[in-house]
Amino acid sequence: MPKTVNVRVTTMDAELEFSFHPNTTGKQLFDQVARTIGLREIWYFGLQFVDAKGFLTWLNSEKKVMAQEPKKETPLLFKLKAKFYPEDVTEELIQDVTRRLFFLQVKEDILESNVYCPPESAVLLASYAIQAKYGDYNRSEHQRGYLTSERLLPKRVLEQHKLSNDQWEERIQVWHEEHRYMLKEEAMIEYLKIAQDLEMYGVNYFEIKNKKGSDLLLGVDALGLNIYEKQNKLTPKIGFPWSEIRNISFNDKKFIIKPIDKKATDFIFYAPRLRVNKRILQLCMGNHELYMRRRKTDTIEVQQMKAQAKEERMQKKMERDQLESEKKRREAMEKERENMEREKQDMMLKLYEYEETTKRAERDLAEQLERAMRLEEERRRVEQEAARLEAERMEAIIAKEELARQAEDQLRSQEHLAAELAEYTTKLLLLEEAKREKEEEAESWHSKANEVEESLMKTKEELLIVKSSSIAPPAAAPASSSSSSSSSSDEESDHEHSEENSTYSAELPTQGFNDHRMEEERITEAEKNKRLQRQLLALSSELAGAQQDSKKTQMDLLHADNVRAGRDKYKTLRQIRMGNTKQRIDEFEAL
């Protein structure tokens, strides 16, 4: 065996490499890791490794590292992880390094769906994770696609919604902008405050059976032991706070939990393997110890740590306030510079507009001058024309007067002529009368002549008759007549058998602490923070339209049932602890 052993310890955000002596104990290795990263709240953490048989195991602090048979690798691989969880992250997690380690581990559990998180909470948590990584949103630095390489949401959530990567980024970015002026450390705590209200947060689940052989789940967490139906890790059926338990022991697969209530029978269940039973016992002892510690006065060490952390945070707050003040001053200066630049641009634009206006005015003036010249020329032409017309008018007046004079002369002449005409007319009438009389006289004489002629003719005819009495008179020719006629016409598309007979037992002291089960009085962060409540409701409503019901998991359906029934983590806790210990044990046996 070599003098030293190489080991690599992976934390949630770093890798550490050490060399240690083969006789080094688990506690010595763990302390070396804690010192290296500055971790003082060591009671929450442990080192995990894979043993020679391939089981994931917690390093025992009392035993030598090599005696625990880690898998033979070079270097040996360990992970620093949280083994126990606080009840309230805000009150209990003191150091920034502790808060960061918890933040990263819980975030990983949510992204891997080891802890169920509804879609709306997942988006809001993602925005806090981005604030914790990048700080305040800056439009110039955080351009479109700045979240492309980030793993922010559980695969389940991505698959259940008809949204592209750009649409997810847009929703997360909106909430990232909401966290302006929030420190990265504050964003981590806000993340954990929401995450600690998730039903599966900090719970270790183990398959067990009751005396009837029913398949059930045992949940071990910071508050106690809970019993679940096998297919429902969200809603426990029965709960036992640590303050009700005085002893836990197991022999082979049989687990016996002795309650403080002497009237109650032992709480008995069966687990499948010895290795699992040891882990259950370790988790029960550690969680019970922390449960008791939280309900006692803080130790001097913790008080000092809290005072130091408070002082450091005050210092950070002062530095942040100073930085914010300087930032705001710079922003004000930058804004003023931008305003001046904008005013300069405005003035340049106005100057350009004035120049353009001046040029237009000059062009207009030139056009007006040219128009005036044309008008002047036109005026002269009109004046000349007017003068010509006036001359013509005068000529016309003279001509008119002349014509009037001529008309008067003509009128006088016409009057004279008319007189003469009348005189001649009278004479003519007289002559015509005389003519008529003469004609009548002539007609009279003509009649007389005709009568004489006729008389002569008769005499001649008589004479002829006498002479020609033997000749017949000629026949008269018949008259002929003719007629004429005229006519007209018309036309239209989703091993350990060697230890089976050993009994392991742990006494859980219950003296000297204030047991008023304060956890049962808690409410969720969303219930006490109306702004957070509004944010979650808005996200839920926004995502509902893009959700594909056919891809919902059993967990989604169980969560929806809890929401409809108005249940949350702490309301359920109060409900499953109702009645005395005996009643709840009887209820467990009946499952």
Side-chain angles (χ1 to χ4, degrees):
M1 186 177 288
K3 291 183 179 180
T4 59
V5 179
N6 293 325
V7 61
R8 177 182 296 152
V9 178
T10 304
T11 70
M12 295 305 299
D13 60 351
E15 281 190 354
L16 311 173
E17 294 196 358
F18 304 99
S19 294
F20 64 86
H21 192 275
N23 292 328
T24 298
T25 64
K27 183 179 185 308
Q28 290 171 326
L29 176 59
F30 178 79
D31 289 346
Q32 185 174 1
V33 173
R35 282 195 302 271
T36 302
I37 64 174
L39 179 65
R40 295 180 64 187
E41 295 170 88
I42 56 175
W43 44 86
Y44 294 115
F45 298 90
L47 290 175
Q48 263 188 347
F49 68 97
V50 177
D51 65 17
K53 295 181 181 179
F55 291 102
L56 187 64
T57 309
W58 288 102
L59 186 66
N60 189 323
S61 62
E62 305 303 323
K63 294 182 180 180
K64 294 179 181 179
V65 174
M66 300 309 295
Q68 300 182 52
E69 300 180 348
K71 184 179 177 181
K72 293 181 179 177
E73 299 175 288
T74 304
L76 298 180
L77 300 179
F78 291 86
K79 287 185 178 179
L80 178 72
K81 298 194 76 174
K83 187 174 182 180
F84 305 104
Y85 287 75
E87 290 181 34
D88 186 337
V89 293
T90 308
E91 296 296 325
E92 297 174 48
L93 299 185
I94 304 171
Q95 291 183 285
D96 286 342
V97 63
T98 311
R99 294 180 170 191
R100 179 170 179 78
L101 290 172
F102 266 101
F103 160 71
L104 293 172
Q105 184 165 328
V106 171
K107 179 163 77 79
E108 184 68 18
D109 285 341
I110 289 173
L111 294 178
E112 292 293 338
S113 291
N114 296 327
V115 171
Y116 174 80
C117 180
E120 63 275 12
S121 297
V123 172
L124 188 57
L125 289 176
S127 69
Y128 281 115
I130 292 301
Q131 182 72 16
K133 180 172 182 178
Y134 292 102
D136 288 348
Y137 175 78
N138 186 312
R139 194 175 299 277
S140 61
E141 293 179 14
H142 305 139
Q143 297 180 358
R144 186 181 182 88
Y146 77 109
L147 300 180
T148 302
S149 61
E150 300 292 335
R151 183 168 170 239
L152 298 170
L153 298 169
K155 185 178 179 182
R156 166 185 58 81
V157 172
L158 294 172
E159 291 176 346
Q160 287 175 352
H161 296 80
K162 296 178 181 178
L163 293 174
S164 66
N165 289 337
D166 287 342
Q167 289 173 315
W168 282 117
E169 178 178 322
E170 182 182 342
R171 283 158 176 77
I172 294 170
Q173 177 194 312
V174 167
W175 295 106
H176 181 195
E177 293 183 54
E178 288 279 316
H179 309 323
R180 188 172 177 80
Y181 301 128
M182 185 181 291
L183 288 177
K184 294 180 179 182
E185 293 79 6
E186 291 174 339
M188 293 180 197
I189 280 294
E190 292 301 321
Y191 185 104
L192 291 171
K193 281 163 67 176
I194 296 171
Q196 72 183 358
D197 290 338
L198 299 175
E199 290 89 343
M200 294 176 67
Y201 165 85
V203 182
N204 288 276
Y205 295 92
F206 302 94
E207 294 183 3
I208 63 169
K209 295 177 184 289
N210 60 8
K211 290 178 182 178
K212 289 174 60 177
S214 302
D215 289 326
L216 301 167
L217 291 176
L218 173 71
V220 184
D221 66 11
L223 301 175
L225 300 175
N226 297 325
I227 306 300
Y228 300 79
E229 292 176 336
K230 193 167 183 180
Q231 302 303 321
N232 187 350
K233 291 184 176 181
L234 293 184
T235 313
K237 304 295 289 183
I238 306 167
F240 300 92
W242 294 120
S243 58
E244 290 185 351
I245 302 170
R246 63 184 174 87
N247 180 276
I248 300 178
S249 65
F250 72 88
N251 183 292
D252 191 15
K253 298 179 180 180
K254 183 178 181 180
F255 242 98
I256 301 173
I257 297 177
K258 296 183 180 296
I260 290 176
D261 185 356
K262 298 296 178 67
K263 295 178 182 179
T265 57
D266 291 344
F267 172 29
I268 299 172
F269 61 84
Y270 300 86
R273 292 194 306 273
L274 179 62
R275 181 181 298 277
V276 172
N277 292 349
K278 287 181 177 179
R279 187 175 174 197
I280 293 174
L281 185 61
Q282 290 174 356
L283 285 171
C284 288
M285 292 168 63
N287 275 304
H288 180 271
E289 180 184 351
L290 291 175
Y291 183 88
M292 298 282 288
R293 180 188 293 184
R294 284 190 287 267
R295 285 153 180 78
K296 294 179 180 179
T297 305
D298 288 337
T299 63
I300 297 299
E301 180 188 10
V302 170
Q303 291 179 27
Q304 289 175 343
M305 287 170 62
K306 286 184 175 180
Q308 182 180 349
K310 183 178 180 181
E311 185 179 343
E312 289 174 354
R313 291 194 179 102
M314 287 294 292
Q315 182 63 31
K316 280 186 179 180
K317 185 177 185 305
M318 289 173 61
E319 291 174 358
R320 181 189 65 176
D321 291 345
Q322 185 177 355
L323 184 62
E324 285 301 324
S325 176
E326 179 64 20
K327 189 176 179 180
K328 287 179 181 178
R329 189 180 67 82
R330 289 184 180 179
E331 286 178 352
M333 290 176 64
E334 181 66 21
K335 190 173 181 180
E336 185 178 352
R337 187 187 67 78
E338 289 175 358
N339 288 339
M340 290 177 66
E341 185 66 27
R342 193 160 47 248
E343 289 176 2
K344 177 183 175 183
Q345 293 295 331
D346 290 344
M347 290 178 68
M348 292 294 290
L349 181 61
K350 287 181 180 178
L351 179 60
Y352 174 77
E353 290 174 352
Y354 289 151
E355 289 177 349
E356 288 297 312
T357 303
T358 302
K359 289 178 181 177
R360 281 197 301 272
E362 288 176 351
R363 285 196 298 271
D364 292 346
L365 179 60
E367 291 175 0
Q368 289 176 4
L369 287 172
E370 184 179 352
R371 191 180 301 114
M373 290 176 67
R374 286 199 301 272
L375 289 173
E376 179 62 23
E377 183 179 347
E378 182 69 14
R379 185 185 65 79
R380 285 197 299 270
R381 187 185 68 76
V382 168
E383 285 180 352
Q384 290 173 357
E385 184 67 17
R388 183 182 67 78
L389 291 173
E390 181 65 20
E392 291 180 354
R393 186 180 73 83
M394 294 303 295
E395 290 177 359
I397 290 172
I398 294 171
K400 179 181 177 183
E401 291 175 352
E402 182 63 26
L403 286 172
R405 204 167 35 249
Q406 290 178 1
E408 287 179 3
D409 292 344
Q410 287 180 358
L411 183 60
R412 282 194 298 272
S413 175
Q414 286 176 356
E415 288 176 353
H416 179 70
L417 288 173
E420 289 182 352
L421 178 61
E423 183 181 350
Y424 286 124
T425 300
T426 302
K427 290 179 179 181
L428 182 60
L429 288 173
L430 291 173
L431 287 172
E432 285 181 354
E433 182 64 27
K435 177 182 177 183
R436 184 179 60 78
E437 290 177 355
K438 290 295 182 182
E439 285 178 348
E440 288 178 354
E441 185 178 353
E443 184 67 27
S444 173
W445 285 106
H446 183 69
S447 289
K448 289 178 178 181
N450 286 339
E451 289 177 359
V452 172
E453 188 176 352
E454 288 177 359
S455 177
L456 180 61
M457 288 298 292
K458 287 179 180 180
T459 301
K460 286 181 178 181
E461 287 176 359
E462 291 175 354
L463 181 60
L464 286 173
I465 293 169
V466 172
K467 291 179 178 181
S468 314
S469 59
S470 63
I471 300 172
S480 63
S481 65
S482 64
S483 64
S484 65
S485 65
S486 66
S487 64
S488 62
S489 58
D490 301 312
E491 298 179 306
E492 322 185 27
S493 67
D494 201 312
H495 114 82
E496 303 94 358
H497 296 295
S498 60
E499 299 181 84
E500 285 181 356
N501 296 322
S502 301
T503 297
Y504 297 81
S505 178
E507 288 292 332
L508 304 182
T510 57
Q511 294 80 24
F513 77 103
N514 179 18
D515 176 28
H516 66 297
R517 286 156 62 161
M518 59 188 183
E519 66 270 17
E520 296 176 16
E521 299 171 6
R522 285 182 65 176
I523 58 176
T524 63
E525 187 66 22
E527 195 171 348
K528 60 188 175 186
N529 186 333
K530 296 303 179 185
R531 178 172 177 270
L532 174 60
Q533 195 175 79
R534 288 193 298 271
Q535 289 174 333
L536 290 171
L537 283 172
L539 278 167
S540 179
S541 175
E542 185 179 352
L543 294 176
Q547 194 166 28
Q548 303 179 76
D549 291 341
S550 61
K551 294 190 177 182
K552 285 184 178 180
T553 64
Q554 181 65 20
M555 287 291 192
D556 292 310
L557 299 176
L558 291 169
H559 172 73
D561 286 343
N562 285 343
V563 171
R564 278 193 295 271
R567 290 191 292 264
D568 61 38
K569 182 174 181 176
Y570 304 109
K571 289 176 182 176
T572 300
L573 185 70
R574 289 190 285 273
Q575 183 179 352
I576 65 175
R577 291 183 178 184
M578 290 175 67
N580 58 38
T581 309
K582 182 179 184 305
Q583 289 174 330
R584 280 178 271 127
I585 293 174
D586 290 343
E587 187 180 344
F588 167 72
E589 297 296 347
L591 288 173

